[in-house]
Amino acid sequence: MNQRKIIIDCDPGQDDAVMLLMALACPDEFDILGITTVAGNVPLDLTQRNARIMCELAGRTDVQVFAGCDKPMRHELITAENVHGKTGIDGVTVYPPTMPLQDQHAVDFIIETLLGSENDSITLVPTGPLTNIGQAMARQPDILPRIKEIVLMGGAMREGGNTTPSAEFNILEDPDAAQIVMQCERPLTIVPLDVTHQALVSQKRIEQIRALDTPVGAAVVGMMEFFNRFDSDKYGSDGAPLHDPCTIAYLLEPELFEGKMCNVEIETGSPLTRGHTAVDFWGVTDKVRNANWLYKLDADGFFALLIDRLKS
Ligand code: BDR
Ligand code: CA
């Protein structure tokens, strides 16, 4: 099978952690060139540690983990311990992992890896603030042609913001980096809250994962039960939205999603609406349609895929 070469850029976070477990369980489909981490849900020293814990849990210590930027390009870091707990992955046993953190800075790794690759060869999968990716693009624009595609979790249109009335967390954290990515002129698919709020971890779905009866299944259940406490109250829904694994699901089975090519830009200035994703969903401007904006998910199909992959 033709493996897709990917770099995953994340800020684990329970939903990033499940995304990693899903991706790491797909060695036939993905050649994971590296996992780069960024400050977001929790500070950088915890996101890089949490990524390594997930690699160890998945038995994939062959994958390299890099630490990147510890704060956004222009603003102060906002963390989300209120959602994810002090460790970022509350719900599982947290310990100092034995697999090493790579010495190289994540931004240098991204630049070096892309520069050493052919055009249209590497897919970027960001599921946290876009600081590492935006910095790499700003510092070395020659990397752009090497990017095959970017599939990122972030933004919101119909659902509104989850961190401010206007903004979703990942985009709010570093709107300047996000705007660089929006303008990079490479194929871009955005998995916003409009989609992830359809991926609810209901009690029934938790029981299906528990029934896997594996260490990975137990870890996912523990994290989801923790995550559910905060978000089920917030949204009044049966279970929390499982945001980040939707990126991996899109790469595996894009037919689970519906999307539309739209112009998407980021508000970087206004204090009121900073981090807002301005989506021209109805084509009311003649601006370039720079992103495939996903808006619909086959949620049962998504969870069937997730559970099937976690089994392995
Ligand atoms: C995004 O923000 C983080 O809290 C989650 O990990 C996800 O990437 C959802 O808004
Ligand atoms: Ca995330």
Side-chain angles (χ1 to χ4, degrees):
M1 182 180 278
N2 211 355
Q3 283 176 310
R4 183 190 281 265
K5 291 183 192 301
I6 65 174
I7 296 175
I8 299 175
D9 187 68
C10 58
D11 64 333
Q14 286 94 349
D15 62 323
D16 301 78
V18 178
M19 174 278 298
L20 287 175
L21 292 173
M22 188 179 186
L24 291 163
C26 301
D28 289 342
E29 288 90 350
F30 300 129
D31 177 7
I32 304 177
L33 303 178
I35 297 171
T36 55
T37 56
V38 66
N41 287 320
V42 285
L44 182 67
D45 54 338
L46 303 189
T47 59
Q48 58 85 357
R49 176 202 63 188
N50 295 347
R52 288 185 291 142
I53 290 175
M54 290 307 129
C55 290
E56 291 190 351
L57 181 60
R60 291 294 311 272
T61 52
D62 57 303
V63 177
Q64 296 185 318
V65 176
F66 301 81
C69 299
D70 62 2
K71 59 176 171 38
M73 290 176 81
R74 204 156 53 95
H75 296 285
E76 290 305 307
L77 178 67
I78 312 162
T79 51
E81 286 88 354
N82 58 330
V83 183
H84 300 275
K86 269 200 163 43
T87 65
I89 50 171
D90 278 23
V92 286
T93 309
V94 174
Y95 62 92
T98 52
M99 75 175 271
L101 177 69
Q102 299 301 307
D103 290 335
Q104 194 177 23
H105 192 283
V107 174
D108 295 330
F109 166 76
I110 292 167
I111 290 174
E112 193 182 292
T113 306
L114 283 162
L115 286 183
S117 310
E118 290 172 9
N119 283 352
D120 300 314
S121 59
I122 296 181
T123 299
L124 303 180
V125 190
T127 64
L130 288 156
T131 317
N132 287 340
I133 308 292
Q135 292 272 19
M137 288 177 174
R139 187 153 18 117
Q140 182 46 277
D142 290 350
I143 65 175
L144 295 176
R146 328 291 170 120
I147 298 171
K148 176 184 168 75
E149 190 179 358
I150 303 166
V151 179
L152 69 88
M153 191 281 135
M157 183 189 68
R158 291 179 175 157
E159 287 295 298
N162 63 355
T163 311
T164 69
S166 300
E168 179 279 330
F169 179 82
N170 289 339
I171 306 295
L172 176 74
E173 179 82 87
D174 200 336
D176 304 288
Q179 179 65 349
I180 292 172
V181 174
M182 294 304 126
Q183 293 181 328
C184 76
E185 299 184 6
R186 299 304 302 154
L188 174 60
T189 291
I190 301 180
V191 185
L193 297 182
D194 302 4
V195 160
T196 66
H197 282 187
Q198 297 167 44
L200 298 175
V201 192
S202 63
Q203 198 53 42
K204 186 172 156 214
R205 288 168 176 156
I206 287 191
E207 294 315 322
Q208 288 171 340
I209 299 170
R210 200 192 308 278
L212 294 176
D213 199 20
T214 61
V216 166
V220 172
V221 168
M223 290 191 285
M224 290 304 91
E225 286 182 331
F226 183 88
F227 201 55
N228 265 356
R229 273 175 231 158
F230 176 84
D231 271 1
S232 303
D233 285 353
K234 178 174 175 184
Y235 299 113
S237 54
D238 179 17
L242 191 53
H243 308 284
D244 294 339
C246 290
T247 54
I248 296 299
Y250 175 78
L251 289 171
L252 292 169
E253 291 188 10
E255 60 280 3
L256 293 173
F257 298 80
E258 285 179 36
K260 184 173 175 178
M261 288 304 296
C262 299
N263 178 265
V264 182
E265 292 184 53
I266 310 297
E267 174 58 58
T268 56
S270 156
L272 179 63
T273 59
R274 191 175 104 207
H276 175 69
T277 34
V279 183
D280 184 7
F281 195 77
W282 301 115
V284 295
T285 69
D286 54 9
K287 290 182 175 178
V288 59
R289 293 168 193 247
N290 56 332
N292 177 24
W293 182 263
L294 302 184
Y295 60 88
K296 199 163 174 209
L297 170 70
D298 169 355
D300 286 336
F302 165 69
F303 278 98
L305 175 64
L306 173 69
I307 292 167
D308 182 61
R309 294 308 166 130
L310 292 179
K311 245 186 231 165
S312 61

